[in-house]
């Protein structure tokens, strides 16, 4: 896998981080985790915390020894990670995503002190054939891997002897549809019963076992007792019981059915379980249950952790200060502690004991039974249990030791979903804001939070901050909210300015941007309004507003002029009048020009002083003159994962970065449509929302996606793109890779034949003059030539093509130049039947049929008009039967006329036939 290849620097020394030589970006750090996925505690000693967490499709291996913490992010999944498990030793960790794969990681493959992430030693792809993976678990001895999931109609359980390496499961068993979705899987840890497991489902609890000799799975469903909404189940260690907890606060106990045991005492794969009793423990949902050190531990929505004995008698309980719902309880892997507490000399002095000198300090040991808290029974026995980690719904992680009464918050809290972020233009500094209005400043060098600020947002009035922006000088930080508030923050001290919040609109602020001199601030509202604020001493004042269009992206050309692109397919230039220009409007629209016909622009980037790069949703890059808005060039963009967004120029390099739906791309300049000039990594399993480059000498990209609780930091590496170009070839070689068969394929040969045929066609012949074949074509013949090889362009597209050819300064184009133009200009996806059906329905067709007469009239009057002869010619070719009937009517054929009078629908074509002919 990509994340485990060691990066060697040019001088031959090993780099301090793993960096794949073929990846343009390497995931270096994440600021948080996903609290919806239960974390895993794999600590083996009390002095060192070792956790495994999930964030989107990234697995986080977290280490903390009391003085420092270390986070090793690993990319190994395509979809969101939804479950993490391990064996009894904690060496092998298993993780699953929602639909694509199951990975097994070996934590013992690399020493932790070497700062290397674990190895993925086993991957099972699509275990349920593309359907959802609900849960996964590994047996205590680490031999077997159990997964539950499948289609909605029928859930399945599959088991693998994963160490053997078989791609197919050893056995599969289907579960009844009435039981609902699989929520949790757990193996029994008792010796002799480690082949048994319990499946927690929405409406029932299923007990099962794996017979290794017979290679067979077996399940048993206890009789139902009217309970619903099960959350979790676990085997009670050292007993024959199991406990399940429910959302209504019930605990259900299961026990072995003694009548089902073999009378001869022979071994049986599965001892049947039966309902034993139920207890109503809480009036809140009990989310998690664990069995450890002869105790049953539960966590609920009240933030309370309770300890019971194996008979479900209450022993001890405590609540955390914040009273947040408990989502995870994970205990250490070490056995019950029998150590003694070491008391330092200071406590001895308080007890009346004296030591001779400072260097001769003595310690005394107290039995752990005297330190541990006492339970609530009449015997008041000590409650001794190993340390554990709890995680709350809001994303806080606590390291808890009830014996020594210690609670410590670990890692970085992820309280809410990230709503906005921005990076400091000069320093390695990042600011994020979440749904609760908390702003956090991170030092990207140390990867730690430095300061925080709680913005008093109004949740009832949609007050969440949706956009953040630093000024180019780094002195100001602005945040726009859903309710139209503009919060101004002083980032150096993280305090709100005296004038905050500013409100000049009741609409959502979608985008804010400072001018290059930090004197002006442009705010884009949800609808079509743009406002400009000016800094006056210590405050900001609104100086002008205008109604423009729904802005998609904007950029400053200079300190007083900026350009926007919008959903109306126009590019608009604005001018800000200074205080000395009193005769001019404070904010005025200088120029407006249509730049697209059918595509929607998605992003914009100022490459040079006079060049603007614009991306659209038809997977094209277009280069415009920044002063005249004339088109300069059209190039093919990446066509695998949606349109390009968030175009960012890499400082000091001839590269720029951008995001698509799921990927982050690194593209070399200049853009020319070469598919080997860009490389990408998968940045998010759902949808990337934002990306920016950091300031300072380090080359990092910062991104976050939809629903994320964390910000990702990516290290940029340009060498893979340069290496990729070395092996791409020259001339047409890299471009022909986009055509079927490549450079030597029949498609290219046919294009070459038509290229020369165009020169000897009758329209180019001059009577009996001698014909000479050249390796170049006149620019006026290029549009028709492109139509002959498959690109049927509109008049607007033809005009753009001709303008681009004029800029080349020559009247002839070589075959190589024409092919590059063809590949860059042609549509990436041909229209399908649904597109054709939608188009003809939009211009007046019914659901059943298309009226050809009306269609010809519309084609001659709306849009780019087509002359009557041309439409008649195409109708005769595509629909000869209908056209012949119309011709008969025109020539006065009585028999045909009578037939037409009988059938008034002769000129109608079924929409299925129409789409089939045009498709």
């Amino acid at each position: 896998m990509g994340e485990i290849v060691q990066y060697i620097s040019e001088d031959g020394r090993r780099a301090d981080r793993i960096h794949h030589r073929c990846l343009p970006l390497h995931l270096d750090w994440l600021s948080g985790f996903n609290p919806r996925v239960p974390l895993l505690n794999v600590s083996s000693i009390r002095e060192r915390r070792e956790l495994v967490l999930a964030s989107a499709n990234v697995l986080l291996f977290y280490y903390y020894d009391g003085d420092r913490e270390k986070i090793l992010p690993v990319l190994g999944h395509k979809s969101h990670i939804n479950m993490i498990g391990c064996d009894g030793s904690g060496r092998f960790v298993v993780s699953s995503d929602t639909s694509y794969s199951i990975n097994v990681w070996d934590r013992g493959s690399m020493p932790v002190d070497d700062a290397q992430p674990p190895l993925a030693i086993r991957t099972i792809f699509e275990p349920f054939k593309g359907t959802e993976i609900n849960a996964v678990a590994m047996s205590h001895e680490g031999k077997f891997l159990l997964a539950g999931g499948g289609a909605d109609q029928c859930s399945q359980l599959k088991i693998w002897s994963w160490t053997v390496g078989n791609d197919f499961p050893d056995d599969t068993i289907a579960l009844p549809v009435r039981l609902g979705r699989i929520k949790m899987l757990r193996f029994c840890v008792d010796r002799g019963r480690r082949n048994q497991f319990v499946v927690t489902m929405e409406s029932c609890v299923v007990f099962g076992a794996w017979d290794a000799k017979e290679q067979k799975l077996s399940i048993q469903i206890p009789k139902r007792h009217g309970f619903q909404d099960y959350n979790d189940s676990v085997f009670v260690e050292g007993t024959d019981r199991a406990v399940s907890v429910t959302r209504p606060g019930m605990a259900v106990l299961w026990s072995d059915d003694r009548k089902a045991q073999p009378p001869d005492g022979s071994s049986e794969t599965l001892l049947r379980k039966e309902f034993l009793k139920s207890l109503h423990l809480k009036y809140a949902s009990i989310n998690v249950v664990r069995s450890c050190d002869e105790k049953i531990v539960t966590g609920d929505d009240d933030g309370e952790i309770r300890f019971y004995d194996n008979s479900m008698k209450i022993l001890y309980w405590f609540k955390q200060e914040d009273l947040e719902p408990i989502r995870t309880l994970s205990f250490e892997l070490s056995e019950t502690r029998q150590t003694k507490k070491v008391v330092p000399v200071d406590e001895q002095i308080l007890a009346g004991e004296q030591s001779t000198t400072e260097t001769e300090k003595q310690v005394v040991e107290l039995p752990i039974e005297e330190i541990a808290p006492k339970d609530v029974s009449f015997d008041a026995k000590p409650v001794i249990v190993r340390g554990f980690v709890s995680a709350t719904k809001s994303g806080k992680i606590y390291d808890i030791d009830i014996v020594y009464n210690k609670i410590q918050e670990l890692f970085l809290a992820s309280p809410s979903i990230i709503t906005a972020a921005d990076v400091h233009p000069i320093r390695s500094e990042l600011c994020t804001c979440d749904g609760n209005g908390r702003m956090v400043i991170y030092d990207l060098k140390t990867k730690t939070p430095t300061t925080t600020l709680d913005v008093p947002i109004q949740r009832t009035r949609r007050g969440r901050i949706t956009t953040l922006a630093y000024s180019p000088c780094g002195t100001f930080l602005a945040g726009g909210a859903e309710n139209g508030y503009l919060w101004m923050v002083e980032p150096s001290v993280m305090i709100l300015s005296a004038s905050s919040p500013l409100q000049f609109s009741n609409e959502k602020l979608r985008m804010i941007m400072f001018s290059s001199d930090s004197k002006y601030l442009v705010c884009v509202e949800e609808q079509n309004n743009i406002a400009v604020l000016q800094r006056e001493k210590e405050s900001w004042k609104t100086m002008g507003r205008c109604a423009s269009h729904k802005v998609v992206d904007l950029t400053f050309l200079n300190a007083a002029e900026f350009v926007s692109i919008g959903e109306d397919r126009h590019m608009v230039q604005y001018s800000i009048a200074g205080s000395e220009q009193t005769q001019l409007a404070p904010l005025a629209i200088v120029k407006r020009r249509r730049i697209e016909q059918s595509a929607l622009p998605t992003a914009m980037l100022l490459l040079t002083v006079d060049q603007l790069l614009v991306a659209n949703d038809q997977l094209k890059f277009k280069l415009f003159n920044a002063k005249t808005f004339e088109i300069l060039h059209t190039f093919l963009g990446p066509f695998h994962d949606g349109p390009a967004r968030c175009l960012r120029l890499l400082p000091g390099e001839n590269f720029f970065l951008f995001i698509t739906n799921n990927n982050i791309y690194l593209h070399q300049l200049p853009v020319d449509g070469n598919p080997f000039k860009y490389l990408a990594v998968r940045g998010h399993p759902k949808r990337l929302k934002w990306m920016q480059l950091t300031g300072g000498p380090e080359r990092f990209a910062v991104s976050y996606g939809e629903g994320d609780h964390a910000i990702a930091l990516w290290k940029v590496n340009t060498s893979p793109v340069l290496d990729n170009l070395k092996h791409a070839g020259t001339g047409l070689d890299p471009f022909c890779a986009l055509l079927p068969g490549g450079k030597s394929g029949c498609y290219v040969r046919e294009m070459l034949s038509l290229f020369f045929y165009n020169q000897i066609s009758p329209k180019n012949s001059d009577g009996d003059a001698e014909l000479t074949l050249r390796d170049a074509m006149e620019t006026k013949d290029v549009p028709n030539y492109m139509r002959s090889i498959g690109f049927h362009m509109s008049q607007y597209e033809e005009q753009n093509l001709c303008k681009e050819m004029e800029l080349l300064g020559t009247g002839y184009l070589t075959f190589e130049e024409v092919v590059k133009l063809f590949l860059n200009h042609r549509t990436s996806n041909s229209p399908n039947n649904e597109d054709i059906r939608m188009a003809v329905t939009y211009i007046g067709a019914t659901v059943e049929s298309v009226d050809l007469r009306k269609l010809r009239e519309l084609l001659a009057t709306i849009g780019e008009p087509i002359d009557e002869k041309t439409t008649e010619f195409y109708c005769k070719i595509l629909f000869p039967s209908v056209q012949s009937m119309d011709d008969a009517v025109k020539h006065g054929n009585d028999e045909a006329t009578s037939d037409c009078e009988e059938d008034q629908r002769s000129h109608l074509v079924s929409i299925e036939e129409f789409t089939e002919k045009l498709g």
Side-chain angles (χ1 to χ4, degrees):
M1 296 179 63
E3 290 293 326
I4 61 175
V5 179
Q6 183 175 318
Y7 176 73
I8 307 297
S9 58
E10 296 181 356
D11 56 2
R13 294 181 298 177
R14 184 176 67 85
D16 57 346
R17 296 288 184 187
I18 291 178
H19 202 150
H20 198 294
R21 291 187 295 271
C22 297
L23 288 181
L25 295 105
H26 164 70
L27 184 59
D28 193 69
W29 173 72
L30 275 102
S31 65
F33 71 104
N34 184 2
R36 294 182 292 272
V37 180
L39 61 85
L40 190 65
N41 185 3
V42 291
S43 305
S44 57
I45 57 175
R46 186 60 195 161
E47 291 74 18
R48 184 184 183 88
R49 302 289 88 201
E50 301 180 17
L51 307 179
V52 184
L53 310 99
S55 178
N57 61 332
V58 180
L59 209 60
L60 302 176
F61 293 88
Y62 169 79
Y63 306 93
Y64 176 72
D65 58 4
D67 297 328
R68 54 179 180 163
E69 64 180 10
K70 180 168 55 179
I71 305 169
L72 299 179
V74 180
L75 278 169
H77 288 274
K78 184 177 180 180
S79 302
H80 279 276
I81 296 174
N82 62 352
M83 193 64 63
I84 308 172
C86 70
D87 65 336
S89 65
R91 173 177 177 177
F92 299 109
V93 175
V94 58
S95 61
S96 67
D97 55 39
T98 53
S99 61
Y100 190 69
S101 65
I102 300 173
N103 285 339
V104 179
W105 308 85
D106 185 4
R107 295 179 57 249
S109 59
M110 291 185 178
V112 176
D113 295 335
D114 198 28
Q116 303 292 342
L119 295 171
I121 58 175
R122 183 78 168 91
T123 300
I124 301 173
F125 293 103
E126 295 187 348
F128 297 96
K129 303 301 180 184
T131 56
E132 187 175 1
I133 305 172
N134 299 127
V136 66
M138 184 176 288
S139 60
H140 189 74
E141 71 280 3
K143 293 182 179 180
F144 304 109
L145 187 63
L146 181 68
D152 296 334
Q153 293 78 10
C154 180
S155 296
Q156 294 179 329
L157 291 175
K158 295 187 178 184
I159 194 167
W160 290 265
S161 300
W162 68 271
T163 56
V164 179
N166 296 330
D167 292 332
F168 297 97
D170 295 338
D171 195 19
T172 302
I173 191 168
L175 300 175
V177 180
R178 60 181 174 83
L179 302 182
R181 184 178 61 91
I182 297 175
K183 300 179 72 173
M184 196 68 66
L185 296 173
R186 301 211 183 276
F187 274 94
C188 184
V189 299
D190 290 340
R191 187 178 298 275
R193 297 195 301 154
R194 292 178 177 175
N195 63 329
Q196 299 184 17
F197 56 87
V198 57
V199 184
T200 306
M201 308 189 73
E202 292 177 336
S203 305
C204 188
V205 175
V206 177
F207 294 92
W210 164 247
D211 191 338
K213 294 182 179 179
E214 299 293 333
Q215 294 288 295
K216 183 179 180 181
L217 278 172
S218 58
I219 60 171
Q220 179 251 330
I221 305 174
K223 294 181 180 179
R224 301 177 65 185
H225 292 272
F227 301 109
Q228 296 289 331
D229 297 329
Y230 288 94
N231 282 335
D232 198 4
S233 302
V234 69
F235 286 99
V236 181
E237 297 180 5
T239 69
D240 60 353
R241 295 181 178 181
V243 180
S244 301
V245 292
T246 67
R247 187 175 300 173
M250 301 289 295
V252 184
L253 271 70
W254 316 91
S255 182
D256 286 347
D257 187 356
R258 301 300 177 183
K259 298 179 181 179
Q261 295 186 21
D264 56 355
S266 60
S267 61
E268 187 180 7
T269 301
L270 175 65
L271 294 177
R272 298 182 63 84
K273 296 288 184 181
E274 63 177 0
F275 171 77
L276 181 62
K277 63 180 178 179
S278 64
L279 301 170
H280 194 177
L281 304 180
K282 297 279 297 184
Y283 286 100
S285 174
I286 304 177
N287 302 314
V288 59
V289 60
R290 294 290 184 272
S291 176
C292 182
D293 295 339
E294 300 180 355
K295 295 172 184 63
I296 299 172
V297 188
T298 63
D300 53 51
D301 270 355
D302 288 340
E304 187 176 42
I305 300 176
R306 291 188 174 190
F307 296 83
Y308 301 87
D309 64 6
N310 290 343
S311 300
M312 291 301 296
K313 294 179 181 178
I314 187 69
L315 298 177
Y316 185 74
W317 67 90
F318 72 92
K319 288 186 177 182
Q320 300 176 6
E321 295 181 358
D322 49 13
L323 298 180
E324 294 182 358
I326 305 295
R327 287 292 181 265
T328 302
L329 293 175
S330 188
F331 287 81
E332 298 175 7
L333 302 177
S334 58
E335 299 294 334
T336 304
R337 291 168 296 178
Q338 298 296 336
T339 59
K340 310 296 182 180
K341 181 183 178 182
V342 177
V343 181
V345 67
D346 297 334
E347 298 185 17
Q348 301 176 35
I349 296 175
L350 292 177
E353 300 180 6
Q354 302 292 333
S355 59
T356 56
T357 63
E358 190 70 15
T359 58
E360 296 179 356
K361 290 183 178 181
Q362 301 294 326
V363 296
V364 296
E365 295 180 349
L366 294 177
I368 196 171
E369 289 79 4
E370 297 183 10
I371 303 168
K374 304 301 186 291
D375 61 26
V376 295
S377 65
F378 290 107
D379 297 332
K381 296 180 179 179
V383 181
I384 302 176
V385 67
R386 69 187 70 180
F388 61 95
V389 172
S390 72
T392 65
K393 181 181 178 181
S394 65
K396 295 182 179 179
I397 304 176
Y398 295 95
D399 180 26
I400 302 174
D401 189 343
I402 65 170
V403 175
Y404 296 121
N405 192 23
K406 293 181 179 179
I407 301 179
Q408 181 184 7
E409 187 172 354
L410 293 179
F411 196 54
L412 181 61
S414 304
S416 184
I417 295 174
I418 301 295
T419 59
D422 199 20
V423 295
H424 198 281
I426 303 172
R427 301 192 298 266
S428 296
E429 183 177 291
L430 167 69
C431 180
T432 66
C433 189
D434 60 27
N436 294 330
R438 166 159 286 197
M439 287 186 178
V440 183
I441 299 290
Y442 297 92
D443 185 352
L444 295 180
K445 292 183 179 179
T446 60
K447 300 180 178 61
T448 56
T450 56
T451 54
T452 61
L453 172 65
D454 291 322
V455 179
I457 65 172
Q458 301 174 4
R459 300 180 187 178
T460 57
R461 296 187 57 196
R462 303 172 294 109
R464 294 181 304 174
I465 293 177
T466 56
T467 176
L468 286 175
Y470 275 100
S471 61
C473 62
T475 308
F476 310 104
L477 175 64
E482 287 178 325
N483 54 8
Y485 282 10
L486 182 66
W487 300 91
M488 302 302 299
V489 183
E490 298 180 11
S492 57
V493 291
M494 284 303 285
I495 60 174
L496 296 173
S497 64
S499 59
S500 288
L502 302 173
Q503 187 175 22
F504 49 85
S505 172
N506 292 323
E507 297 180 4
K508 174 183 175 181
L509 299 181
R510 295 190 298 109
M511 190 183 308
I512 54 178
M513 181 177 291
F514 286 88
S515 60
S516 57
D517 58 358
S518 304
K519 186 178 179 180
Y520 302 107
L521 176 63
V522 177
C523 301
V524 178
E525 301 175 13
E526 177 66 21
Q527 296 302 320
N528 302 329
N529 294 325
I530 296 177
V532 174
L533 283 72
Q534 185 177 14
R535 189 177 80 253
E536 296 181 0
K537 296 182 180 180
E538 299 298 329
S539 62
W540 292 82
K541 302 294 183 182
T542 305
M543 62 175 297
R545 298 179 67 185
C546 70
S548 177
H549 56 180
K550 192 163 185 178
V551 175
V552 173
D553 199 2
L554 62 87
T555 184
F556 272 89
L557 299 177
N558 50 59
E561 291 182 334
F562 63 95
V563 178
S564 70
I565 53 175
E567 292 184 359
D568 62 347
R569 302 179 175 89
H570 281 74
M571 182 183 291
V572 183
Q573 182 178 348
Y574 311 82
S575 177
I576 305 174
S579 57
E580 66 280 356
Q581 298 172 315
T582 55
Q583 71 280 7
L584 300 178
L587 178 62
I589 295 178
V590 178
K591 191 182 305 178
R592 179 189 293 266
R593 186 184 182 92
R594 186 181 181 90
I595 60 172
E596 296 288 354
Q597 183 182 32
S598 59
L600 293 175
T602 58
M604 177 171 53
L605 175 65
L606 182 65
L607 289 180
T608 61
V609 179
D610 57 350
Q611 286 188 350
L612 280 170
L613 184 67
V614 178
N616 63 32
D617 63 348
Q618 292 184 355
L619 312 182
K620 301 291 184 183
F621 287 120
K622 291 190 175 182
L623 201 61
F624 293 90
N625 188 304
K627 298 178 180 178
T628 63
F629 292 175
E630 293 286 340
I631 190 168
L632 302 178
H633 296 287
T634 300
F635 303 112
L636 176 66
F639 47 88
H640 298 291
D641 185 42
R645 295 178 288 116
C646 296
L647 307 181
R648 304 289 185 258
L649 195 63
L650 190 63
E653 299 279 352
N654 58 336
F655 287 87
F656 71 99
L657 287 89
F658 58 91
I659 62 174
T660 56
N661 291 336
N662 304 112
N663 300 325
I664 305 177
Y665 282 82
L666 177 66
H667 198 304
Q668 188 188 28
L669 291 172
V671 184
D672 58 3
N674 188 342
F676 291 88
K677 272 195 170 183
Y678 52 81
L679 288 175
V681 295
R682 189 171 182 84
H684 199 266
K686 195 172 183 180
R687 187 177 187 272
L688 284 164
K689 294 188 67 175
W690 176 86
M691 187 266 295
Q692 185 60 276
L693 299 177
T694 62
E698 299 87 359
R699 297 184 299 181
F700 286 98
V702 182
S703 68
Y704 72 91
E706 186 174 342
D708 278 359
H709 291 250
I711 291 283
L713 185 68
W714 304 82
K715 188 173 184 180
V716 181
N717 180 26
T718 60
S719 57
V721 180
L722 300 176
D723 294 340
N724 198 35
L725 280 173
K726 293 178 182 179
H727 306 284
T730 58
L732 276 179
D733 290 347
F735 293 88
C736 288
L738 300 171
L739 296 173
K743 189 175 182 179
S744 59
C746 59
Y747 196 93
V748 176
R749 292 198 300 269
E750 182 70 16
M751 292 173 61
L752 187 60
S753 300
L754 291 173
F755 180 82
F756 290 109
Y757 175 77
N758 181 78
Q759 300 181 33
I760 62 175
S761 61
K763 64 183 181 65
N764 288 330
S765 62
D766 186 13
D768 298 332
E770 183 180 355
L771 295 176
T772 59
L773 294 179
R774 293 173 297 184
D775 59 353
M777 175 185 292
E778 289 189 55
T779 55
K780 66 178 182 180
D781 297 330
V782 172
N784 287 331
Y785 170 72
M786 288 192 179
R787 291 187 177 97
S788 68
I789 58 178
F791 175 38
H792 303 283
M793 66 189 76
S794 64
Q795 294 178 10
Y796 181 86
E797 293 169 333
E798 182 177 350
Q799 291 173 5
N800 286 343
L801 177 63
C802 293
K803 289 179 183 178
E804 294 182 29
M805 290 189 294
E806 289 177 6
L807 296 175
L808 297 177
T810 176
Y812 292 89
L813 297 179
T814 63
F815 179 70
E816 178 179 333
E817 293 172 334
V818 173
V819 172
K820 290 181 180 179
L821 283 175
F822 167 71
L823 292 174
N824 284 324
H825 280 262
R826 69 169 182 169
T827 55
S828 57
N829 296 317
S830 301
N832 54 29
N833 290 346
E834 286 299 323
D835 297 331
I836 299 173
R837 185 189 299 266
M838 185 182 300
V840 296
T841 305
Y842 180 77
I843 62 175
T846 63
V847 179
E848 297 85 8
S849 60
V850 178
D851 189 341
L852 290 183
R853 293 177 184 174
K854 184 178 180 181
L855 179 63
R856 285 186 293 187
E857 294 176 0
L858 293 173
L859 292 178
T861 55
I862 65 174
E864 297 178 349
I866 305 176
D867 61 90
E868 185 178 354
K869 292 184 178 180
T870 304
T871 56
E872 185 176 353
F873 171 77
Y874 285 123
C875 287
K876 186 179 294 186
I877 296 296
L878 295 173
F879 309 102
S881 60
V882 178
Q883 190 65 27
S884 62
M885 184 69 69
D886 291 343
D887 293 341
V889 174
K890 287 181 179 180
H891 291 85
N893 188 323
D894 296 337
E895 182 179 353
T897 304
S898 61
D899 293 340
C900 290
E901 291 175 353
E902 293 177 1
D903 186 8
Q904 297 295 330
R905 302 171 59 87
S906 61
H907 59 281
L908 300 180
V909 178
S910 66
I911 198 167
E912 289 77 11
E913 181 184 357
F914 187 87
T915 55
E916 182 181 356
K917 289 292 182 66
L918 267 69

